[in-house]
Amino acid sequence: MMISSQKWMSMLALTALSSSLVVGCADSKQEQPKSDNGKATTQAAVRGAATVTLYDRGRVPAEEGTMDKSRWTDWVNKNGPTDVKYILIPRTDSIAKFNTLFASGEVPDVINEYDPQYRDLLYQQKQLLPLDDLIDKYAPNYKKLLEQYPQLKKAGTKPDGKLYEIGRLQGTMSMYSLIIRADWLKKLNLPMPQTPEELFKVAKAFTEQDPDGDGKKNTYGISIAADTGMAISKMYGDVGWVVKDGKLTYDWDRTKASNEFKKMLFDEGIVDKDYLTDKNGEKAKQDWLSGKLGIYAMQHSQQFNPGLSNYQTLKKNVPGAEILPMPLPKTQFGQFSMNFLNPAQMTTVVYRGAKDPVAAVKYIDFIASKETAVVMKYGLEGTHWKQGANGCPAPIDLEKNKKELVYVPDLAMQTSPDLVGACNQTESSFDPQVPDQNAYLTFIKQAREAYESPERPMPDLTLSEHMPNLPTDLAKINADLSLQITSIWAKSIVSGSTYTIDKALADAKAVWDKGGGKQLEDWYAKWYADNKDKAFLTQDIYKFLNKK
């Protein structure tokens, strides 16, 4: 799986930290609390203290205080087992701040950071504390999670076989739907597409047969920009690295097939000719919401859920619009689905020089408890929520909650929202008594059926957050190749007969061979052979789904 140039630039910044990591930590030694006989104490009678990083996004209302001094940091210090001092980290410039902290020797005990490349760099620099024994002795809540969800332990374990990373259980669901205008299918008497050929036929009809009935040629059958282009790639299993005959290899056949289909759509005028300039898919979104686009991919998971508001906008603009999630058509490579929400997201590590590792781990364990998860997700019972008709917490005052809870998620990076059970699922946030919410609730259920079956799996080896981190030299090779090869395919799609798919494939392979692709192939093949039974892979996602 190739990384983007933006991610490579991030990795360059991480690499630049190496010297400051070494300088800032050269004299630091791992300190374990000791008793008189030299053994680690339980500190049962001592509260302990820890410094903990906390993202600051500048979203705390003035009357709520500051990110490091608010009602919720006070709540943690009052109810938790550890005296916590929070170290603020600018969310948009976290690496630079960490660089400064390491260089000055003021490294926080608990480091919260979403970027897996940064956490891996700290591991490679031997700046992290292995947590297996500490969790076993001092973290009953997290220990229980590791026992109940061994996938969580797989995700947090590094190549040396020790657990370094703490994560959270988010729950999971398919993050995207490929949506089709069901009312257009009915009007044109067309079936739901089951194959790429049928999808092409339907998209062509949506473009040419005036499905909106306004007498104008102003509709497009399908988009190939942004998420919808991704959906077509997934339809062919075009994700780069795939397992064949028990080995991880880069698959050119799937890439060729998906781009061939996109080129056919483009050549027939079925898609927006300016799709390449629609980098974030905003134009395609507006075409969908205005009722001029027949097939469109949209994100809808419980963590990022624009789906209801988009549905409401579409219905406002086109009251007669009917939508359905469309299972990805079956191709010669199989039938697949799109990405899932990461069920085991790694967020946290402990610095090897933590002054009081026990206090740090006890803090993490408190944040990881079910009771804390409820507070961090909903606020305080009686103040922010009451029991709802569906058995889930219902807000007492939405405006009050917006003000007082808007900044809580960054404080809750080790909490597992999935511990609240069914109330964490997207479905719990909709009121079936409200017509448009009930209609969208039906849509979500249909989407689950369409995309969450292991029989139509996500074709990727794993989620991007769980992919192995390439060494610095190979990461640069990967980024450079990704830019060049993506450009080659895009050129072929829009160039008609002057630049064929076969020519693009030959050019892409030549760039791959010349640019170091063989090195990537060898590295990934060895990594998979060594780690296929230990790493968090796509099949682990379905184990979380099966627990529901």
Side-chain angles (χ1 to χ4, degrees):
M1 183 178 298
M2 295 186 177
I3 62 173
S4 67
S5 57
Q6 290 88 349
K7 184 168 267 188
W8 167 239
M9 293 304 293
S10 173
M11 292 188 69
L12 282 178
L14 296 178
T15 305
L17 284 175
S18 300
S19 58
S20 58
L21 286 171
V22 174
V23 171
C25 305
D27 298 326
S28 297
K29 295 181 180 179
Q30 180 178 325
E31 299 178 18
Q32 292 278 11
K34 302 286 183 179
S35 64
D36 290 341
N37 62 7
K39 296 181 178 179
T41 72
T42 62
Q43 292 195 344
V46 180
R47 183 171 170 83
T51 51
V52 178
T53 70
L54 180 60
Y55 284 143
D56 188 358
R57 303 176 192 257
R59 60 169 61 159
V60 182
E63 58 269 38
E64 285 292 292
T66 58
M67 195 65 200
D68 57 339
K69 185 62 179 175
S70 69
R71 71 175 68 234
W72 300 112
T73 58
D74 289 348
W75 182 87
V76 170
N77 274 295
K78 178 181 178 182
N79 294 277
T82 302
D83 293 328
V84 181
K85 178 183 178 183
Y86 287 102
I87 309 300
L88 296 184
I89 305 294
R91 179 64 184 103
T92 56
D93 201 15
S94 62
I95 292 171
K97 179 64 175 179
F98 282 124
N99 189 13
T100 300
L101 291 170
F102 273 98
S104 65
E106 299 177 356
V107 187
D109 303 319
V110 178
I111 297 173
N112 294 307
E113 171 60 46
Y114 286 122
D115 189 342
Q117 278 78 28
Y118 179 76
R119 298 193 310 270
D120 190 66
L121 178 62
L122 294 182
Y123 165 73
Q124 291 181 29
Q125 293 290 335
K126 302 188 185 305
Q127 302 304 323
L128 302 185
L129 189 67
L131 301 175
D132 304 78
D133 292 342
L134 286 163
I135 289 172
D136 187 58
K137 294 177 182 177
Y138 305 111
N141 294 308
Y142 198 73
K143 179 181 178 181
K144 184 177 179 181
L145 290 183
L146 293 176
E147 291 170 349
Q148 290 179 322
Y149 299 89
Q151 299 84 7
L152 190 62
K153 186 169 185 177
K154 288 173 70 173
T157 300
K158 288 297 188 181
D160 66 0
K162 297 177 182 178
L163 183 73
Y164 289 90
E165 296 192 338
I166 298 294
R168 61 180 180 179
L169 301 171
Q170 298 191 102
T172 191
M173 70 180 296
S174 57
M175 289 186 71
Y176 299 88
S177 287
L178 185 61
I179 314 171
I180 191 166
R181 284 286 298 272
D183 54 314
W184 286 10
L185 285 176
K186 291 177 184 176
K187 180 175 180 179
L188 301 180
N189 195 28
L190 295 167
M192 178 73 80
Q194 305 290 324
T195 65
E197 294 75 20
E198 291 176 2
L199 177 60
F200 178 85
K201 179 180 178 182
V202 167
K204 187 174 177 66
F206 282 178
T207 303
E208 297 177 347
Q209 296 182 26
D210 191 26
D212 62 349
D214 67 355
K216 301 176 182 177
K217 187 173 173 54
N218 58 359
T219 57
Y220 285 111
I222 191 171
S223 169
I224 55 173
D227 291 341
T228 317
M230 175 273 292
I232 293 174
S233 295
K234 298 281 185 179
M235 180 175 80
Y236 284 93
D238 172 20
V239 293
W241 300 98
V242 300
V243 177
K244 284 185 176 180
D245 300 323
K247 297 180 180 180
L248 188 62
T249 184
Y250 192 81
D251 192 295
W252 291 101
D253 294 336
R254 300 180 184 206
T255 302
K256 177 186 177 183
S258 72
N259 284 289
E260 204 161 35
F261 187 76
K262 292 174 188 177
K263 182 177 180 67
M264 186 166 61
L265 292 171
F266 187 90
D267 288 346
E268 289 291 323
I270 293 171
V271 301
D272 185 353
K273 293 287 185 183
D274 298 322
Y275 89 94
L276 284 176
T277 62
D278 190 15
K279 299 295 185 184
N280 60 3
E282 190 60 31
K283 185 176 186 300
K285 176 182 175 181
Q286 295 309 314
D287 288 340
W288 170 258
L289 295 178
S290 64
K292 298 303 179 184
L293 181 60
I295 302 169
Y296 171 71
M298 182 181 70
Q299 201 168 359
H300 68 226
S301 81
Q302 71 257 51
Q303 188 177 18
F304 310 100
N305 195 358
L308 176 60
S309 61
N310 285 346
Y311 174 73
Q312 291 168 329
T313 301
L314 174 63
K315 291 293 286 185
K316 179 180 179 181
N317 293 335
V318 189
E322 298 175 18
I323 63 172
L324 283 173
M326 180 175 75
L328 298 186
K330 185 176 182 179
T331 70
Q332 65 268 40
F333 304 101
Q335 188 170 20
F336 305 106
S337 294
M338 291 172 282
N339 285 5
F340 284 74
L341 178 66
N342 185 359
Q345 182 183 34
M346 298 295 106
T347 64
T348 304
V349 292
V350 176
Y351 172 49
R352 71 169 189 183
K355 297 179 180 64
D356 189 344
V358 171
V361 168
K362 285 185 175 181
Y363 162 78
I364 290 171
D365 193 58
F366 170 74
I367 299 295
S369 71
K370 179 178 180 179
E371 293 74 17
T372 301
V374 172
V375 172
M376 293 292 171
K377 186 172 178 66
Y378 301 110
L380 301 176
E381 185 175 11
T383 301
H384 299 99
W385 63 272
K386 60 183 179 180
Q387 200 76 7
N390 62 354
C392 296
I396 295 173
D397 184 335
L398 279 173
E399 291 305 312
K400 174 183 175 67
N401 286 9
K402 285 180 183 178
K403 180 179 70 175
E404 297 182 1
L405 298 176
V406 65
Y407 56 95
V408 175
D410 287 321
L411 187 65
M413 282 178 65
Q414 302 99 34
T415 65
S416 293
D418 204 40
L419 293 181
V420 305
C423 294
N424 185 51
Q425 295 187 28
T426 291
E427 288 87 337
S428 70
S429 63
F430 300 121
D431 184 350
Q433 302 303 314
V434 179
D436 57 352
Q437 293 192 35
N438 186 55
Y440 194 70
L441 179 60
T442 299
F443 175 85
I444 289 292
K445 292 177 179 177
Q446 292 168 333
R448 283 190 180 274
E449 293 175 4
Y451 306 118
E452 295 184 6
S453 168
E455 318 232 319
R456 298 185 291 275
M458 188 179 85
D460 310 70
L461 177 69
T462 187
L463 296 166
S464 60
E465 293 164 271
H466 294 292
M467 281 294 286
N469 293 299
L470 289 163
T472 302
D473 58 334
L474 294 185
K476 185 177 188 311
I477 289 173
N478 189 39
D480 291 344
L481 288 175
S482 180
L483 285 173
Q484 294 178 69
I485 292 174
T486 298
S487 177
I488 288 172
W489 289 122
K491 175 184 174 182
S492 180
I493 289 171
V494 302
S495 296
S497 60
T498 63
Y499 193 50
T500 66
I501 288 291
D502 285 335
K503 174 60 174 166
L505 178 62
D507 289 348
K509 285 184 173 181
V511 166
W512 180 266
D513 293 339
K514 183 178 179 181
K518 180 65 164 58
Q519 293 173 254
L520 293 176
E521 291 173 9
D522 291 344
W523 190 90
Y524 274 117
K526 184 178 188 309
W527 175 87
Y528 183 73
D530 293 343
N531 295 278
K532 60 184 177 181
D533 296 325
K534 299 180 289 185
F536 184 98
L537 303 179
T538 288
Q539 56 262 35
D540 291 303
I541 298 172
Y542 291 92
K543 293 175 183 176
F544 283 93
L545 283 173
N546 292 339
K547 284 184 176 291
K548 294 191 181 299

Tab-separated table of all heavy atoms in Angstrom, residues 278-309:
chain	number	residue	atom	x	y	z
A	278	ASP	N	-11.285	18.023	-8.989
A	278	ASP	CA	-12.169	17.882	-7.823
A	278	ASP	C	-11.458	17.039	-6.767
A	278	ASP	O	-11.871	15.924	-6.444
A	278	ASP	CB	-13.490	17.238	-8.256
A	278	ASP	CG	-14.552	17.275	-7.166
A	278	ASP	OD1	-14.387	18.039	-6.196
A	278	ASP	OD2	-15.541	16.517	-7.286
A	279	LYS	N	-10.365	17.598	-6.221
A	279	LYS	CA	-9.461	16.830	-5.367
A	279	LYS	C	-10.149	16.231	-4.141
A	279	LYS	O	-9.899	15.091	-3.763
A	279	LYS	CB	-8.297	17.722	-4.916
A	279	LYS	CG	-7.444	18.261	-6.050
A	279	LYS	CD	-6.724	17.151	-6.787
A	279	LYS	CE	-5.781	17.709	-7.851
A	279	LYS	NZ	-5.130	16.639	-8.640
A	280	ASN	N	-11.008	17.010	-3.490
A	280	ASN	CA	-11.651	16.507	-2.266
A	280	ASN	C	-13.079	16.024	-2.500
A	280	ASN	O	-13.800	15.715	-1.551
A	280	ASN	CB	-11.638	17.578	-1.180
A	280	ASN	CG	-12.376	18.846	-1.602
A	280	ASN	OD1	-12.943	18.899	-2.699
A	280	ASN	ND2	-12.359	19.857	-0.755
A	281	GLY	N	-13.490	15.972	-3.751
A	281	GLY	CA	-14.824	15.478	-4.086
A	281	GLY	C	-15.944	16.437	-3.777
A	281	GLY	O	-17.128	16.049	-3.799
A	282	GLU	N	-15.632	17.714	-3.551
A	282	GLU	CA	-16.665	18.674	-3.162
A	282	GLU	C	-17.645	18.939	-4.306
A	282	GLU	O	-18.844	19.080	-4.085
A	282	GLU	CB	-16.017	19.975	-2.701
A	282	GLU	CG	-16.979	20.967	-2.055
A	282	GLU	CD	-17.670	20.405	-0.813
A	282	GLU	OE1	-17.069	19.564	-0.108
A	282	GLU	OE2	-18.831	20.812	-0.561
A	283	LYS	N	-17.152	19.017	-5.531
A	283	LYS	CA	-18.045	19.254	-6.666
A	283	LYS	C	-18.987	18.062	-6.860
A	283	LYS	O	-20.188	18.233	-7.109
A	283	LYS	CB	-17.256	19.510	-7.943
A	283	LYS	CG	-18.153	19.891	-9.139
A	283	LYS	CD	-17.325	20.242	-10.360
A	283	LYS	CE	-18.227	20.752	-11.480
A	283	LYS	NZ	-19.226	19.747	-11.894
A	284	ALA	N	-18.434	16.847	-6.746
A	284	ALA	CA	-19.274	15.655	-6.862
A	284	ALA	C	-20.342	15.657	-5.768
A	284	ALA	O	-21.508	15.294	-6.006
A	284	ALA	CB	-18.416	14.395	-6.764
A	285	LYS	N	-19.971	16.065	-4.572
A	285	LYS	CA	-20.939	16.132	-3.473
A	285	LYS	C	-22.073	17.097	-3.800
A	285	LYS	O	-23.254	16.783	-3.589
A	285	LYS	CB	-20.230	16.567	-2.189
A	285	LYS	CG	-21.166	16.766	-1.003
A	285	LYS	CD	-20.395	17.253	0.210
A	285	LYS	CE	-21.339	17.573	1.369
A	285	LYS	NZ	-20.583	18.086	2.551
A	286	GLN	N	-21.725	18.264	-4.334
A	286	GLN	CA	-22.759	19.238	-4.670
A	286	GLN	C	-23.655	18.734	-5.806
A	286	GLN	O	-24.863	18.972	-5.804
A	286	GLN	CB	-22.118	20.585	-5.043
A	286	GLN	CG	-21.394	21.256	-3.891
A	286	GLN	CD	-22.256	21.358	-2.630
A	286	GLN	OE1	-23.427	21.742	-2.698
A	286	GLN	NE2	-21.669	21.018	-1.490
A	287	ASP	N	-23.064	18.036	-6.767
A	287	ASP	CA	-23.868	17.436	-7.844
A	287	ASP	C	-24.839	16.402	-7.275
A	287	ASP	O	-25.993	16.296	-7.722
A	287	ASP	CB	-22.961	16.774	-8.890
A	287	ASP	CG	-22.214	17.781	-9.742
A	287	ASP	OD1	-22.646	18.950	-9.809
A	287	ASP	OD2	-21.175	17.407	-10.329
A	288	TRP	N	-24.370	15.634	-6.285
A	288	TRP	CA	-25.235	14.644	-5.645
A	288	TRP	C	-26.360	15.328	-4.866
A	288	TRP	O	-27.538	14.969	-5.015
A	288	TRP	CB	-24.406	13.758	-4.721
A	288	TRP	CG	-25.220	12.860	-3.836
A	288	TRP	CD1	-25.500	13.039	-2.518
A	288	TRP	CD2	-25.894	11.658	-4.221
A	288	TRP	NE1	-26.293	12.019	-2.039
A	288	TRP	CE2	-26.546	11.163	-3.077
A	288	TRP	CE3	-25.996	10.952	-5.418
A	288	TRP	CZ2	-27.296	9.990	-3.089
A	288	TRP	CZ3	-26.745	9.779	-5.438
A	288	TRP	CH2	-27.388	9.312	-4.279
A	289	LEU	N	-26.011	16.308	-4.065
A	289	LEU	CA	-27.013	16.968	-3.223
A	289	LEU	C	-28.025	17.764	-4.040
A	289	LEU	O	-29.159	17.959	-3.604
A	289	LEU	CB	-26.317	17.892	-2.216
A	289	LEU	CG	-25.421	17.202	-1.181
A	289	LEU	CD1	-24.759	18.230	-0.276
A	289	LEU	CD2	-26.219	16.201	-0.356
A	290	SER	N	-27.617	18.205	-5.223
A	290	SER	CA	-28.551	18.960	-6.072
A	290	SER	C	-29.375	18.051	-6.982
A	290	SER	O	-30.218	18.530	-7.747
A	290	SER	CB	-27.782	19.976	-6.931
A	290	SER	OG	-26.908	19.312	-7.830
A	291	GLY	N	-29.116	16.737	-6.895
A	291	GLY	CA	-29.924	15.788	-7.661
A	291	GLY	C	-29.468	15.582	-9.079
A	291	GLY	O	-30.253	15.141	-9.923
A	292	LYS	N	-28.183	15.844	-9.369
A	292	LYS	CA	-27.679	15.706	-10.733
A	292	LYS	C	-26.710	14.548	-10.907
A	292	LYS	O	-26.176	14.342	-11.997
A	292	LYS	CB	-26.983	17.012	-11.165
A	292	LYS	CG	-27.914	18.215	-11.180
A	292	LYS	CD	-29.116	17.993	-12.095
A	292	LYS	CE	-30.068	19.172	-12.090
A	292	LYS	NZ	-31.287	18.898	-12.921
A	293	LEU	N	-26.498	13.767	-9.853
A	293	LEU	CA	-25.552	12.658	-9.900
A	293	LEU	C	-26.262	11.391	-9.433
A	293	LEU	O	-26.947	11.397	-8.409
A	293	LEU	CB	-24.342	12.956	-9.010
A	293	LEU	CG	-23.230	11.922	-8.945
A	293	LEU	CD1	-22.609	11.679	-10.323
A	293	LEU	CD2	-22.148	12.381	-7.959
A	294	GLY	N	-26.090	10.292	-10.188
A	294	GLY	CA	-26.862	9.083	-9.909
A	294	GLY	C	-26.231	8.110	-8.935
A	294	GLY	O	-26.938	7.399	-8.212
A	295	ILE	N	-24.886	8.061	-8.888
A	295	ILE	CA	-24.185	7.099	-8.031
A	295	ILE	C	-23.022	7.830	-7.364
A	295	ILE	O	-22.189	8.456	-8.039
A	295	ILE	CB	-23.672	5.894	-8.846
A	295	ILE	CG1	-24.838	5.199	-9.562
A	295	ILE	CG2	-22.942	4.902	-7.946
A	295	ILE	CD1	-24.401	4.163	-10.588
A	296	TYR	N	-22.956	7.722	-6.051
A	296	TYR	CA	-22.021	8.556	-5.287
A	296	TYR	C	-21.628	7.836	-3.998
A	296	TYR	O	-22.473	7.225	-3.341
A	296	TYR	CB	-22.709	9.890	-4.963
A	296	TYR	CG	-21.981	10.803	-4.011
A	296	TYR	CD1	-20.810	11.458	-4.396
A	296	TYR	CD2	-22.483	11.047	-2.734
A	296	TYR	CE1	-20.154	12.314	-3.532
A	296	TYR	CE2	-21.843	11.909	-1.862
A	296	TYR	CZ	-20.670	12.535	-2.275
A	296	TYR	OH	-20.041	13.390	-1.406
A	297	ALA	N	-20.351	7.880	-3.628
A	297	ALA	CA	-19.886	7.256	-2.390
A	297	ALA	C	-19.799	8.297	-1.284
A	297	ALA	O	-19.309	9.409	-1.498
A	297	ALA	CB	-18.530	6.594	-2.594
A	298	MET	N	-20.271	7.918	-0.092
A	298	MET	CA	-20.321	8.856	1.022
A	298	MET	C	-19.905	8.165	2.318
A	298	MET	O	-20.203	6.993	2.536
A	298	MET	CB	-21.744	9.404	1.173
A	298	MET	CG	-21.914	10.429	2.276
A	298	MET	SD	-23.645	10.966	2.350
A	298	MET	CE	-24.423	9.474	2.992
A	299	GLN	N	-19.227	8.904	3.157
A	299	GLN	CA	-18.818	8.388	4.457
A	299	GLN	C	-19.997	8.447	5.420
A	299	GLN	O	-20.776	9.389	5.423
A	299	GLN	CB	-17.673	9.255	4.989
A	299	GLN	CG	-16.831	8.585	6.035
A	299	GLN	CD	-15.549	9.363	6.317
A	299	GLN	OE1	-15.301	10.385	5.703
A	299	GLN	NE2	-14.748	8.859	7.225
A	300	HIS	N	-20.130	7.401	6.267
A	300	HIS	CA	-21.300	7.398	7.143
A	300	HIS	C	-21.050	6.759	8.506
A	300	HIS	O	-21.993	6.432	9.217
A	300	HIS	CB	-22.474	6.666	6.459
A	300	HIS	CG	-22.259	5.192	6.290
A	300	HIS	ND1	-22.529	4.540	5.124
A	300	HIS	CD2	-21.769	4.236	7.122
A	300	HIS	CE1	-22.237	3.256	5.246
A	300	HIS	NE2	-21.770	3.053	6.462
A	301	SER	N	-19.800	6.540	8.917
A	301	SER	CA	-19.553	5.823	10.168
A	301	SER	C	-19.993	6.631	11.369
A	301	SER	O	-20.281	7.822	11.276
A	301	SER	CB	-18.067	5.503	10.316
A	301	SER	OG	-17.365	6.631	10.794
A	302	GLN	N	-20.016	5.980	12.567
A	302	GLN	CA	-20.495	6.674	13.747
A	302	GLN	C	-19.551	7.766	14.210
A	302	GLN	O	-19.924	8.668	14.933
A	302	GLN	CB	-20.747	5.703	14.911
A	302	GLN	CG	-19.492	5.116	15.550
A	302	GLN	CD	-19.257	3.697	15.105
A	302	GLN	OE1	-19.265	3.418	13.916
A	302	GLN	NE2	-19.038	2.795	16.028
A	303	GLN	N	-18.282	7.707	13.780
A	303	GLN	CA	-17.335	8.726	14.214
A	303	GLN	C	-17.422	9.961	13.319
A	303	GLN	O	-17.279	11.087	13.777
A	303	GLN	CB	-15.907	8.173	14.194
A	303	GLN	CG	-14.889	9.113	14.822
A	303	GLN	CD	-13.507	8.508	14.860
A	303	GLN	OE1	-13.219	7.563	14.147
A	303	GLN	NE2	-12.651	9.047	15.694
A	304	PHE	N	-17.639	9.741	12.036
A	304	PHE	CA	-17.754	10.850	11.100
A	304	PHE	C	-19.050	10.625	10.337
A	304	PHE	O	-19.084	9.850	9.397
A	304	PHE	CB	-16.570	10.860	10.134
A	304	PHE	CG	-15.243	10.771	10.805
A	304	PHE	CD1	-14.560	9.573	10.876
A	304	PHE	CD2	-14.674	11.888	11.378
A	304	PHE	CE1	-13.328	9.487	11.487
A	304	PHE	CE2	-13.437	11.819	11.989
A	304	PHE	CZ	-12.766	10.620	12.054
A	305	ASN	N	-20.108	11.299	10.740
A	305	ASN	CA	-21.403	10.948	10.180
A	305	ASN	C	-22.110	12.131	9.537
A	305	ASN	O	-23.007	12.724	10.122
A	305	ASN	CB	-22.298	10.343	11.272
A	305	ASN	CG	-23.503	9.634	10.663
A	305	ASN	OD1	-23.674	9.635	9.450
A	305	ASN	ND2	-24.324	9.058	11.492
A	306	PRO	N	-21.672	12.507	8.307
A	306	PRO	CA	-22.385	13.553	7.592
A	306	PRO	C	-23.609	13.020	6.867
A	306	PRO	O	-24.331	13.760	6.210
A	306	PRO	CB	-21.344	14.035	6.579
A	306	PRO	CG	-20.587	12.792	6.250
A	306	PRO	CD	-20.542	11.985	7.535
A	307	GLY	N	-23.825	11.712	6.965
A	307	GLY	CA	-24.841	11.066	6.145
A	307	GLY	C	-26.238	11.618	6.328
A	307	GLY	O	-26.947	11.874	5.356
A	308	LEU	N	-26.680	11.795	7.578
A	308	LEU	CA	-28.038	12.270	7.810
A	308	LEU	C	-28.229	13.673	7.241
A	308	LEU	O	-29.220	13.930	6.556
A	308	LEU	CB	-28.369	12.253	9.299
A	308	LEU	CG	-29.743	12.831	9.663
A	308	LEU	CD1	-30.860	12.039	8.981
A	308	LEU	CD2	-29.941	12.847	11.182
A	309	SER	N	-27.298	14.573	7.516
A	309	SER	CA	-27.463	15.945	7.015
A	309	SER	C	-27.429	15.974	5.490
A	309	SER	O	-28.171	16.737	4.859
A	309	SER	CB	-26.383	16.861	7.593
A	309	SER	OG	-25.096	16.432	7.207
